């Protein structure tokens, strides 16, 4: 099975990755090969199997509704590539 | 010198933590340019910690880990110390918070020498995908050390630390441990907190110790294990005294030998080493039981759906807004996203994001992701069945010994297959460890894997310790 | 504006209600509204590398309460999922939400239509999710700013069945839902501030057709009025398109309240593909029957039950009971007044006529009333005990409304206490009869209507303080005797 190049373009757009046209065929082939590998799962009948999302079967813990006010604005902005007046700054969002 | 021996010297004040730390820092300075095991060496922080350790050793508030120089894989966030995850994306990232694992180590008085190299975002089995260059195997610097915790493994093999911390999503502790001749333990999923450990595949990732011996690993695990209210997937169970649980005999222990892990084409030297190890276990009093784990061959396909799917979502936060790499002069928002991510991530990371995005996308979810989750249960059930009859399972850790740098880097599937024996364990959430059990003709280390039921790390460590009491393999070190 | 009678509307509402927890859904940051930008954030809600979510127990309690209040099924095991999309105010690149296994399913609530009839509206599901941050655009040259304070605020998303058929029904549904959330004290219900948000899915079809038409989703509806107007507008727009032979495009449209029209959202991501999958960082949420029972035991009386009780036990009319249970605050006001000994019907009248009348004129909410329920109850008791007349009571009420003083003090200070002393009244009556011989004559000739005039004269002479019952009885006596 080989996936269409168009699909790879679409997936790249969904993942917010830019794929060079030049590398597209090679990437498409690699992804197709990996998908062929994973398609082996179709050999198994899993009709009645309950999907397993977590390695260990346990309920989620809950924490008390307590405010832990860290007030660490400066530290949390320190790694940002572009900051303006206490905000994270990005190119204009057009709605 | 092992961690246990060093701890004893520190405790009796025959050596100071500062002397010990200085010695390791000097060795790192000398050898790291060759091995490339560390991305960041924290001279200042390490000496500071050593000084504090000496104070604790003097005033009687020391723990067995106080003053022990260690290395930590560069995906554990360390407050104000650069944490790169092996990626250009995070090359400048200084976390404003501490991972639970490093916090516990620091509280115990361990000295963190620096952050060890790794495959980018822990995606890789050879440590060649690191933005900071490949790590070399100290046994033969033309070969890979394994991955993704290759820096943590190589640092130990080159004696640049007394213990290191790795993480294991599909074999990333055990595989490099095997290829560098050290002891590596992947605990039960949820035994060690993931808080502050940069995520690759959330339902599979688990931190664990890498060390020279099972006894050393037991000490480190005891320090980092336990429930953490900051991690909803961490298990609420007491931490046993792993060190005290170590035994030298294995009477009454039943060890399962799964037929699926001895394929006909298995490397003959590895086959031979395993056969010898089996005899050692018999000599120690254990009995060997043939078992079957029938869904083994589906582990790699299952893993390569689940792990990339989770990763594609986990890595969405790298958008160049709050932290991490941002491209120059983005012309609009979309350009900022795509170029920042394109330039910030390496090829393997992008490949897995693409794969994960694809298997989750509309129309494919049931065929891939849900299917994989179902097979995951079948794989886990195989183990639960087996553990009705045996206490431990013994397998090879890797299909081959360390391969040459560049050998598989352009062939993703060949690379993925090097995790053949380790991946099922992550899918099932079980604890497992790799310990040295031989060497090939070139003198390269061979590792064997032992797998235990959930939360039975003590059984695992005990068996490994018994084996290491009876054999010299873990004491073999590469030429300096 | 009304729509073509050949068509019917099919409307479903998706309501996002901010839950009034103190801290955020998965971290300890405060949820207070209006703080300085990016001061209420931490590595968890700002989605820094490696940090993990831990669920706020109070949110679970609130979700259970809400589920019980709308007679929904509470799942023993529900599951969190990730909804993946890129947007600058969504720091993780995914929203933690619930998808396949939401905490509540199959609820319902009953609305009252304009003609007084009742209609059951199904609630498909209620699930927990995180709110996003805010993007700021105005006045910023060539850039947008991100404030993550709101990121991680807990939301309940409440999804109705497409059971609503008119904008009025949609309005009634929203009012009812908001009342329930406020009764439960889980949400402020403030649509202007955004603590309650509503999106509407609207389609139209010819009467008698069963197949659903293509729907559009309306956003940015920040008041109940706007929800109703936007639906009306959208239905007409769709009908016009269909009537002129066109077809409806499935799209998201933004309502612009300034021009009373909607427009398609620009630049909305190429076809959405949210790639939902179970959140690996959160094991399933397991809720025991004991926990549900414990919440049920402490559930407050809700609007419908209260209304029925007011009619059944307190003798109120359906209408009064409806008015007095419209909000939790109103019902509490009424009940507290009655607790002071006020007769329920009298209290109902005073609240719905006098108090609400004044409050409406001054544009105040009942919570802002200077007249406390306790004082109003005592005022009514004064009337009941013949200490003041109803007329005087209105004067007293006016002073209470302005000053918030208690009725007894006002009566005392202004000398408004009713005169019930028959001796005193008799002498005033004698005076009045003497001053008005003509009217007395007319009465005796059978023109009993002048009685009212004479009573009025007595009241005037006493500045309204005479007990009207006593005045009537004595006058009657004197005139016929
Ligand atoms: Mg929603
Ligand atoms: Zn927070």
């Amino acid at each position: 099975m080989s996936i269409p190049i168009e699909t790879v373009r679409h997936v790249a757009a969904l993942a917010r990755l830019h794929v060079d046209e030049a590398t597209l065929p090679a990437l498409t082939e690699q992804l197709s090969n990996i998908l062929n590998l994973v398609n082996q799962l179709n050999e198994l009948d899993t009709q009645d199997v309950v999907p397993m999302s977590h390695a260990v079967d346990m309920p989620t813990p809950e924490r008390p509704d307590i405010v832990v006010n860290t007030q660490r604005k400066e530290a949390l902005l320190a790694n940002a590539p572009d900051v303006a007046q206490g905000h994270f700054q990005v190119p204009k969002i057009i709605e | 010198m092992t961690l246990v021996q060093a701890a004893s010297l520190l405790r009796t004040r025959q050596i100071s933590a500062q002397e010990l730390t200085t010695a390791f820092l000097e060795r790192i300075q000398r050898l790291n340019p060759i091995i490339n095991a560390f991305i960041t060496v924290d001279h200042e922080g390490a000496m500071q910690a050593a000084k504090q350790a000496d104070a604790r050793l003097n005033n009687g508030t020391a723990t067995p880990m106080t003053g022990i120089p260690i290395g930590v894989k560069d995906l554990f966030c360390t407050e104000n110390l650069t944490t790169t995850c092996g990626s250009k994306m995070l090359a400048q990232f200084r976390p404003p918070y501490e991972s639970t694992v490093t916090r516990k180590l620091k509280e115990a008085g361990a000295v963190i020498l620096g952050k060890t190299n790794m495959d980018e975002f822990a995606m890789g089995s050879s440590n060649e995908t690191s933005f900071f260059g490949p790590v070399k195997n100290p046994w033969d610097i033309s070969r890979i050390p394994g991955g993704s915790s290759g820096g943590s493994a190589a640092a130990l093999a080159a004696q640049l630390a007394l213990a290191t911390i790795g993480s294991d999503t599909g074999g990333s502790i055990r595989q490099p441990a095997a290829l560098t001749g050290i002891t590596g333990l992947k605990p039960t999923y949820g035994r060690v907190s993931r808080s502050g450990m940069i995520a690759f595949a959330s339902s599979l990732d688990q931190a664990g110790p890498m060390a020279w011996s099972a006894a050393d690993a037991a000490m480190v695990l005891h320090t980092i294990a336990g429930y953490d209210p900051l991690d909803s997937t961490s298990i609420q169970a007491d931490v046993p005294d792993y060190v005290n649980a170590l035994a030298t005999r294995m009477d009454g222990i039943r060890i399962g030998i799964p037929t699926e892990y001895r394929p006909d084409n298995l490397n003959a030297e590895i086959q031979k080493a395993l056969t010898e190890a089996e005899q050692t276990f018999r000599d120690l009093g254990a009995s060997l039981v043939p078992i079957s784990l029938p869904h083994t061959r589906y582990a790699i396909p299952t893993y390569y759906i689940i792990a990339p799917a989770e990763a594609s979502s986990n890595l969405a936060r790298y958008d160049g807004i709050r932290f991490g790499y941002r491209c120059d002069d983005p012309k609009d928002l979309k350009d900022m996203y795509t170029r920042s991510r394109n330039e910030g991530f390496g090829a393997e990371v992008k490949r897995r994001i693409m794969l994960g995005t694809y298997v989750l996308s509309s129309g494919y979810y049931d065929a891939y992701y849900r299917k994989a989750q179902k097979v995951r249960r079948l794989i886990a059930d195989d183990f639960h069945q087996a553990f009705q009859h045996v206490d431990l399972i013994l397998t090879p850790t890797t299909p081959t010994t360390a391969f040459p740098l560049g050998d598989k880097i352009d062939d993703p599937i060949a690379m993925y297959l090097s995790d053949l024996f380790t991946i099922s364990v992550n899918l099932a959430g079980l604890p497992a460890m790799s310990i040295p059990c031989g060497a090939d003709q070139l003198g390269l280390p061979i590792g064997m894997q032992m797998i235990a039921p959930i939360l039975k790390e003590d059984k695992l460590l005990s068996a490994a310790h018994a084996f290491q009491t009876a054999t010299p393999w873990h004491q073999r070190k590469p030429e300096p | 504006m009304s729509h073509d009678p050949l068509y019917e509307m099919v409307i479903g509402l998706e309501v996002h209600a901010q839950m009034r927890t103190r801290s955020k859904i998965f971290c300890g940051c405060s949820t207070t509204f209006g703080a300085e930008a990016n001061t209420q954030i931490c590595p968890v809600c700002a989605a820094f590398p490696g940090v993990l979510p831990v669920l706020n127990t109070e949110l679970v309690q609130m979700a259970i309460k809400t589920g019980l209040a709308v007679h929904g099924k509470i799942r023993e095991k529900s599951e969190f999922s990730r909804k993946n999309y890129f947007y600058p105010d969504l720091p993780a690149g995914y929203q933690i939400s619930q998808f396949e296994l939401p905490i509540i399913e199959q609820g319902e609530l009953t609305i009252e239509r304009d003609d007084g009839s009742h209609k059951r509206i199904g609630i498909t599901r209620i699930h927990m999710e995180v709110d996003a941050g805010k993007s700021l655009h105005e006045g910023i040259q060539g850039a947008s700013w991100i404030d993550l304070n709101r990121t991680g605020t807990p939301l309940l998303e409440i999804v109705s069945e497409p059971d609503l058929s008119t904008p009025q029904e949609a309005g009634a549904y929203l009012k009812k839902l908001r009342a329930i959330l406020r009764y439960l004290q889980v949400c402020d219900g403030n649509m202007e501030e955004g603590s309650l948000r509503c999106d509407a899915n609207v389609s139209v079809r010819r009467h008698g057709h069963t197949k659903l038409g293509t729907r559009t989703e309306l956003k940015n509806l920040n008041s109940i009025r706007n929800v109703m107007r936007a639906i009306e507008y959208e239905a007409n727009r769709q009908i016009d398109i269909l009537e002129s032979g066109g077809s409806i495009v499935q799209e998201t449209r933004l309502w612009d309240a300034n021009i009373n029209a909607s427009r398609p959202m620009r630049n909305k991501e190429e076809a959405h593909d949210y790639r939902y999958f179970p959140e690996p960082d959160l094991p399933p949420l397991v809720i025991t029957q004991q926990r549900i029972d414990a919440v049920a035991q402490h559930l407050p009386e809700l609007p419908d039950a209260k209304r029925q009780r007011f009619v059944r036990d307190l003798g109120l009319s359906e209408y009064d009971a409806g008015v007095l249970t419209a909000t939790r605050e109103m019902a509490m006001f009424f009940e507290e007044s009655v607790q002071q000994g006020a007769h329920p019907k009298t209290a109902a009248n005073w609240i719905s006529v006098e108090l609400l009348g004044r409050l409406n004129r001054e544009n105040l909410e009942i919570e802002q009333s200077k007249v406390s329920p306790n004082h109003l109850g005592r005022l009514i008791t004064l009337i009941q005990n013949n200490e003041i007349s109803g007329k005087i009571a209105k004067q007293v009420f006016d002073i209470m409304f302005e000053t918030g003083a208690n009725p007894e003090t006002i009566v005392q200070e202004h000398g408004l206490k009713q005169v019930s002393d028959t001796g005193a009244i008799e002498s005033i009556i004698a005076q009045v009869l003497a001053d008005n011989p003509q009217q007395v004559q007319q009465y005796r000739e059978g023109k009993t209507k002048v009685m009212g005039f004479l009573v009025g004269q007595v009241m005037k002479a006493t500045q309204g303080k005479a007990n009207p019952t006593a005045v009537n009885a004595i006058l009657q006596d004197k005139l016929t005797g």
Side-chain angles (χ1 to χ4, degrees):
Chain A
M1 184 194 101
S2 180
I3 48 175
I5 279 198
E6 207 29 65
T7 304
V8 178
R9 272 202 202 95
H10 170 70
V11 170
L14 268 181
R16 292 289 185 277
L17 290 171
H18 172 79
V19 182
D20 283 338
E21 285 301 308
T23 56
L24 202 53
L27 180 63
T28 304
E29 197 198 321
Q30 283 172 342
L31 290 175
S32 298
N33 289 343
I34 298 167
L35 288 170
N36 283 333
L37 173 77
V38 305
N39 279 333
Q40 285 175 29
L41 298 187
N42 295 331
E43 296 166 9
L44 289 170
D45 176 9
T46 52
Q47 183 101 50
D48 301 322
V49 183
V50 181
M52 180 173 168
S53 326
H54 297 276
V56 177
D57 189 17
M58 62 179 192
T60 201
E62 295 168 39
R63 65 175 180 84
D65 183 22
I66 295 169
V67 174
V68 186
N69 207 336
T70 47
Q71 286 293 345
R72 298 177 65 213
K73 179 179 155 182
E74 304 309 323
L76 287 159
L77 290 169
N79 279 288
D82 193 1
V83 168
Q85 292 181 36
H87 296 83
F88 300 103
Q89 183 161 273
V90 298
K92 195 97 183 157
I93 302 168
I94 299 152
E95 255 175 9
Chain B
M1 181 168 53
T2 68
L3 191 161
V4 171
Q5 288 160 353
S8 159
L9 293 176
L10 286 165
R11 203 163 40 245
T12 53
R13 308 309 287 134
Q14 293 176 61
I15 187 170
S16 77
Q18 290 170 86
E19 285 162 356
L20 193 60
T21 299
T22 306
F24 275 100
L25 286 172
E26 279 172 13
R27 195 169 162 85
I28 291 171
Q29 199 157 16
R30 190 154 52 85
L31 294 178
N32 198 51
I34 304 164
I35 307 294
N36 199 22
F38 282 88
I39 292 173
T40 303
V41 180
D42 185 16
H43 287 91
E44 207 179 307
M47 287 314 296
Q48 184 87 27
K51 200 171 160 192
Q52 284 166 7
D54 279 328
R56 284 178 74 171
L57 286 158
N58 285 330
N59 71 18
T61 58
T63 78
M65 285 298 289
T66 303
I68 301 295
I70 60 167
V72 177
K73 189 175 182 177
D74 206 16
L75 52 57
F76 293 91
C77 288
T78 40
E79 193 161 359
N80 297 325
L81 180 63
T82 308
T83 301
T84 70
C85 219
S87 182
K88 178 181 179 183
M89 184 59 86
L90 290 177
Q92 312 293 333
F93 178 58
R94 288 161 71 93
Y97 50 94
E98 189 79 34
S99 76
T100 296
V101 164
T102 49
R103 181 179 55 76
K104 285 186 161 194
L105 287 165
K106 286 178 175 177
E107 283 170 4
V111 174
I112 297 178
L113 297 166
K115 309 294 287 290
T116 57
N117 206 342
M118 56 183 284
D119 280 300
E120 184 181 9
F121 281 98
M123 298 177 191
S125 306
S126 67
N127 225 302
E128 292 167 290
T129 71
S130 170
F131 174 66
F132 301 91
V135 178
K136 312 290 172 53
N137 192 323
W139 291 89
D140 174 350
I141 57 167
S142 72
R143 290 172 187 270
I144 58 99
S148 63
S149 310
S152 291
L156 270 174
Q159 300 175 70
L160 307 182
L162 282 174
T164 54
I165 307 294
S167 74
D168 190 316
T169 306
S172 284
I173 287 175
R174 292 158 288 155
Q175 185 253 22
L179 302 190
T180 57
I182 59 144
T183 296
L185 168 60
K186 181 206 97 74
T188 306
Y189 179 86
R191 173 83 283 188
V192 177
S193 170
R194 293 187 296 120
S195 180
M197 182 176 102
I198 299 179
F200 160 17
S202 305
S203 79
L204 303 164
D205 295 345
Q206 183 62 204
M210 302 170 84
W212 274 111
S213 69
D216 288 2
M219 262 175 64
V220 178
L221 181 62
H222 192 259
T223 306
I224 62 174
Y227 174 66
D228 181 8
L230 300 178
D231 175 1
S232 298
T233 61
S234 90
I235 298 175
Q236 306 196 29
D238 291 338
V239 178
D241 186 340
Y242 298 118
V243 178
N244 257 337
L246 300 174
T248 49
R249 290 287 302 170
M250 295 186 67
D251 301 293
I253 305 282
R254 296 158 302 169
I255 298 177
I257 309 293
T259 50
E260 292 80 4
Y261 283 70
R262 299 293 169 85
D264 294 338
N265 57 357
L266 179 65
N267 174 307
E269 291 164 313
I270 292 176
Q271 180 71 266
K272 179 167 163 284
L274 261 287
T275 309
E276 284 170 17
E278 287 169 15
Q279 188 52 49
T280 306
F281 281 125
R282 271 191 214 98
D283 295 344
L284 288 165
S287 55
L288 301 185
V289 185
I291 57 164
S292 173
L293 299 167
H295 294 95
T296 299
R297 70 192 212 83
Y298 299 105
I300 284 185
T302 302
Y303 178 88
Y304 278 97
I305 292 169
I306 291 174
E310 293 181 4
S312 70
S313 176
N314 284 333
L315 271 60
R317 68 190 58 201
Y318 304 102
D319 55 12
I321 297 178
R322 286 143 296 128
F323 45 77
Y325 178 81
R326 185 190 284 195
C327 66
D328 290 334
D329 305 319
K331 68 175 197 287
D332 57 28
L333 194 64
K334 196 160 183 180
D335 187 46
M336 180 196 74
Y337 277 118
T338 52
R339 268 205 299 133
S340 299
R341 290 166 62 78
N342 210 50
E343 294 165 19
F345 291 137
E348 180 61 21
V349 170
K350 285 188 273 193
R351 191 151 47 227
R352 296 207 198 183
I353 291 175
M354 291 287 292
L355 184 58
T357 304
Y358 178 81
V359 298
L360 287 175
S361 66
S362 172
Y364 298 104
Y365 181 84
D366 285 342
Y368 289 110
Y369 193 76
R370 194 190 301 274
K371 181 82 182 184
Q373 282 196 319
K374 289 179 164 196
V375 180
R376 180 176 187 178
R377 186 169 300 279
L378 296 176
I379 291 166
D381 284 349
D382 281 356
F383 282 105
H384 298 149
Q385 292 290 326
F387 284 125
Q388 306 287 312
H389 311 288
V390 298
D391 302 296
L392 298 171
I393 292 170
L394 178 67
T395 79
T397 310
T398 56
T400 66
T401 52
F403 46 89
L405 281 155
D407 223 22
K408 299 182 180 175
I409 192 65
D410 296 322
D411 184 353
I413 291 184
M415 189 71 89
Y416 297 172
L417 292 174
S418 55
D419 293 332
L420 189 61
F421 300 139
T422 49
I423 270 177
S424 299
V425 164
N426 298 79
L427 292 168
L430 303 171
M433 68 192 290
S434 177
I435 61 172
C437 67
D440 70 6
Q441 284 171 347
L442 299 168
L444 295 170
I446 293 170
M448 65 178 182
Q449 173 175 242
M450 288 188 290
I451 307 166
I454 277 184
L455 292 177
K456 298 292 187 205
E457 287 83 359
D458 50 347
K459 296 280 185 304
L460 218 46
L461 286 160
S462 195
H465 181 67
F467 184 85
Q468 290 180 339
T469 312
T471 61
W473 296 112
H474 64 293
Q475 289 163 355
R476 245 171 40 97
K477 291 187 171 59
E479 296 299 311
Chain C
M1 198 159 52
S2 86
H3 67 276
D4 191 320
L6 284 176
Y7 285 86
E8 65 173 353
M9 301 183 199
V10 178
I11 306 158
L13 297 183
E14 284 177 23
V15 170
H16 285 89
Q18 269 183 4
M19 292 292 105
R20 288 175 51 186
T21 54
R22 282 184 284 269
S23 62
K24 290 183 180 180
I25 176 166
F26 295 124
C27 66
C29 291
S30 167
T31 54
T32 319
F33 182 79
E36 184 196 329
N38 293 313
T39 51
Q40 291 178 353
I41 65 171
C42 73
V44 175
C45 56
F48 272 59
V51 293
L52 297 167
V54 186
L55 181 61
N56 186 335
T57 193
E58 190 55 32
L59 172 64
V60 181
Q61 294 296 99
M62 288 179 171
I64 297 172
K65 273 186 202 167
T66 309
L68 289 170
V70 299
H71 314 290
K73 279 192 189 161
I74 295 159
R75 272 194 169 277
E76 190 200 335
K77 199 173 193 176
S78 68
E79 181 182 82
F80 287 95
S81 293
R82 292 186 184 179
K83 179 181 182 179
N84 294 281
Y85 65 96
F86 287 93
Y87 205 75
D89 64 17
L90 184 74
Y94 55 84
Q95 179 193 34
I96 303 182
S97 181
Q98 296 193 292
F99 185 56
E100 276 187 44
L101 308 175
I103 183 165
I104 316 283
E105 288 167 308
Q106 296 172 38
E108 62 176 45
L109 56 75
T110 304
I111 58 165
E112 192 174 324
R113 289 193 279 206
D114 288 352
D115 64 2
S117 64
H118 289 189
K119 183 175 178 183
R120 176 202 166 277
I121 307 298
I123 291 176
T124 319
R125 56 184 280 152
I126 301 177
H127 67 250
M128 301 176 274
E129 62 183 28
V130 302
D131 208 344
K134 279 187 176 153
S135 323
L136 306 147
H137 319 287
E138 260 159 69
I140 307 161
Q141 208 51 44
S144 294
W145 289 355
I146 310 297
D147 171 9
L148 296 178
N149 278 352
R150 198 180 65 179
T151 314
T153 301
L155 298 176
L156 285 191
E157 179 173 332
I158 304 161
V159 183
S160 86
E161 293 284 327
D163 288 346
L164 300 157
S165 315
T166 64
Q168 291 71 32
E169 287 182 16
Y173 170 86
L174 268 179
K175 279 182 197 152
K176 188 61 169 286
L177 183 60
R178 184 173 66 178
I180 291 172
L181 295 171
R182 284 178 169 169
Y183 265 75
L184 296 170
Q185 293 186 279
V186 297
C187 174
D188 293 339
N190 187 331
M191 290 189 75
E192 287 75 21
E193 277 183 14
S195 59
L196 192 74
R197 303 194 284 272
C198 177
D199 301 338
N201 291 307
V202 179
S203 64
V204 297
R205 65 181 167 196
R206 282 196 165 245
H207 272 291
H209 286 215
T210 47
K211 192 168 168 286
L212 287 172
T214 303
R215 66 185 180 146
T216 56
E217 189 181 0
L218 304 174
K219 284 186 181 291
N220 198 31
L221 312 173
N222 58 4
S223 70
I224 291 181
R225 211 166 96 96
N226 279 336
V227 171
M228 294 166 65
R229 285 158 76 180
I231 291 171
E232 184 80 48
Y233 173 91
E234 179 59 16
N236 283 320
R237 191 188 69 86
Q238 292 187 11
I239 292 167
D240 285 349
I241 291 172
L242 294 174
E243 282 296 300
S244 57
S247 55
I248 310 299
V249 181
Q250 183 160 355
E251 65 185 354
T252 302
R253 298 179 66 87
L254 280 183
W255 176 249
D256 186 339
N258 295 320
I259 56 167
N260 281 324
S262 64
R263 59 173 167 85
M265 267 178 97
R266 277 180 285 154
N267 195 36
K268 200 63 190 173
E269 225 177 284
E270 327 76 45
H272 280 294
D273 187 343
Y274 290 129
R275 289 159 283 136
Y276 280 101
F277 73 103
E279 165 58 284
D281 288 333
L282 291 165
L285 172 63
V286 176
I287 297 172
T288 62
Q289 190 57 45
Q290 291 96 296
R291 182 172 184 180
I292 297 170
D293 292 344
V295 174
Q297 270 190 354
H298 295 101
L299 211 60
E301 189 180 31
L302 292 165
D304 283 348
K306 227 182 234 308
R307 199 186 65 227
Q308 284 161 21
R309 182 168 61 81
F310 285 0
V311 171
R312 191 183 60 231
D313 297 353
L314 302 180
L316 300 194
S317 68
E318 276 284 348
Y319 178 81
D320 279 351
V323 170
L324 291 173
T325 54
T327 70
R328 174 176 174 274
E329 288 70 27
M330 190 103 75
M332 273 171 54
F333 198 106
F334 168 73
E335 292 193 280
E336 226 180 300
S337 305
V338 170
Q339 264 173 20
Q340 298 306 313
H343 191 278
K345 274 185 168 170
T346 319
N349 260 323
W350 272 89
I351 292 170
S352 58
V353 181
E354 301 300 329
L355 181 62
L356 289 184
R358 279 297 296 271
L359 287 170
N360 280 341
R361 271 202 300 278
E362 321 231 336
N363 230 330
L364 294 171
E365 296 293 323
I366 198 159
E367 304 92 285
Q368 297 165 295
S369 165
K370 281 191 184 162
V371 180
S372 72
N374 179 301
H375 287 175
L376 185 71
R378 277 154 58 186
L379 177 68
I380 295 166
T381 324
L382 289 178
I383 308 170
Q384 286 166 192
N385 295 343
N386 288 327
E387 294 187 40
I388 54 171
S389 68
K391 202 170 163 200
I392 289 289
K394 287 184 185 166
Q395 283 180 43
V396 177
F397 176 82
D398 282 342
I399 301 169
M400 287 164 66
F401 192 89
E402 296 299 332
T403 65
N406 76 57
E408 293 86 354
T409 312
I410 297 168
V411 168
Q412 191 101 54
E413 282 179 359
H414 293 77
L416 297 172
K417 201 167 163 66
Q418 179 157 278
V419 181
S420 296
D421 170 2
T422 43
I425 294 173
E426 266 181 48
S427 65
I428 290 164
I429 285 177
Q431 186 62 48
V432 166
L433 293 182
D435 289 350
N436 298 285
Q438 204 184 334
Q439 281 78 5
V440 173
Q441 184 62 31
Q442 284 172 348
Y443 183 89
R444 291 198 171 131
E445 285 165 2
K447 288 191 179 162
T448 48
K449 275 202 286 186
V450 296
M451 181 70 161
F453 169 79
L454 294 168
V455 170
Q457 291 303 302
V458 177
M459 296 309 280
K460 199 171 159 189
T462 60
Q463 290 157 314
K465 288 180 283 185
N467 179 336
T469 320
V471 172
N472 263 299
I474 298 169
L475 250 180
Q476 196 93 42
D477 207 46
K478 296 274 181 202
L479 287 168
T480 54

